[in-house]
Amino acid sequence: MPDISLTIVVVLCLASLAAGWIDAVVGGGGLLLLPAMLLGLPGGTPAAYALGTNKAVAIVGTTGAAVTYARKAPVDVRLAVRIGLAALAGSTAGAFVAAGMSTDVLKPVVMVVLLGVGTFVMLRPAFGTAPSTEPVSARRVLAAIGLAGLGIGFYDGLIGPGTGTFLVLALTALLHFDLVTASATAKIVNCCTNAGALATFAWKGTVYWQLAALMAVFNLVGGMAGAHTALKKGSGFVRVVLLTVVFALVANLAYQQWVA
């Protein structure tokens, strides 16, 4: 475990709790947790340790949320697993590329992608408010496996933050899910992407396991609570949380990049 103060450990645990809740509702918990880890870990710590430890924490909360959703939401588990297996391959490849990446590269990339996501959702107020009654074609399923699986899986292993949000958007757009069903499906897929990336980071020895274990407890509680909230409140609530999270975190990352 790195040499960090008790205050920083407490802050990281609270960030993990909040990130678990956000991630379960709409994805993107890593957009809170990863910046917190980049700031909280000792100066000079390679980015790979923040990324690897983040994956060890996130997989616990994501699994808890996935189990909660699967019990109560209309999830096509077989489809989710098919997309998840493609995502597993993509995230493993992305994690190999991420091993030598500098933290200076992370923040601008995430900000640009987030702004695109937020703009898209704002311009489409009816997006994900209700599922389509039209059957999903085999072509759309293959597109979901390619984009939401391989593509977003690679992004998850490479950078990570926002993966759940991007999965929700991709699944809603490609498979005509409502936002709650998309969030539920995304959690299963996200478990696979986290597993692939974590295996790579663990193999490279870039995970602070003691710190991750402590933070994972808080992330699990937040993830299960977030899933219950999304199921109770519905797609309209999920959309509001999505936009709030996206623009708040863009502002936070911009401040860290150009002001702090």
Side-chain angles (χ1 to χ4, degrees):
M1 185 167 173
D3 185 18
I4 57 179
S5 68
L6 178 60
T7 300
I8 295 298
V9 172
V10 171
V11 170
L12 289 176
C13 286
L14 292 176
S16 184
L17 178 70
W21 188 91
I22 294 169
D23 203 48
V25 174
V26 76
L31 290 164
L32 171 63
L33 189 54
L34 183 57
M37 296 194 68
L38 290 171
L39 292 173
L41 292 177
T45 301
Y49 282 89
L51 291 165
T53 305
N54 177 63
K55 289 301 173 194
V57 174
I59 194 171
V60 176
T62 301
T63 301
V67 171
T68 302
Y69 273 124
R71 288 175 176 173
K72 297 184 179 181
V75 183
D76 187 338
V77 177
R78 291 182 62 187
L79 175 59
V81 170
R82 289 167 65 191
I83 299 172
L85 290 176
L88 175 64
S91 66
T92 302
F96 272 103
V97 177
M101 181 177 288
S102 168
T103 57
D104 294 336
V105 179
L106 299 178
K107 295 173 186 176
V109 172
V110 171
M111 277 188 285
V112 170
V113 177
L114 273 176
L115 284 172
V117 168
T119 301
F120 175 82
V121 175
M122 285 188 69
L123 294 176
R124 298 284 299 274
F127 181 76
T129 55
S132 172
T133 56
E134 299 178 6
V136 179
S137 66
R139 182 177 297 179
R140 285 185 173 271
V141 172
L142 288 175
I145 292 172
L147 177 61
L150 285 173
I152 298 178
F154 182 83
Y155 168 83
D156 190 36
L158 180 64
I159 299 177
T163 295
T165 304
F166 301 142
L167 282 171
V168 169
L169 290 168
L171 293 170
T172 302
L174 292 171
L175 302 178
H176 303 306
F177 290 161
D178 64 85
L179 286 173
V180 172
T181 302
S183 292
T185 306
K187 291 308 106 191
I188 298 174
V189 177
N190 215 177
C191 285
C192 295
T193 65
N194 284 337
L198 177 59
T200 304
F201 286 120
W203 178 67
K204 290 181 175 291
T206 55
V207 180
Y208 291 131
W209 291 108
Q210 289 177 303
L211 178 62
L214 180 61
M215 294 172 62
V217 175
F218 289 83
N219 197 254
L220 176 62
V221 173
M224 296 180 70
H228 280 294
T229 303
L231 288 166
K232 182 178 180 180
K233 298 290 187 179
S235 295
F237 172 79
V238 173
R239 184 177 184 274
V240 172
V241 175
L242 174 81
L243 289 172
T244 302
V245 168
V246 164
F247 289 110
L249 288 166
V250 166
N252 181 50
L253 288 171
Y255 174 82
Q256 293 174 21
Q257 183 72 17
W258 292 301
V259 180

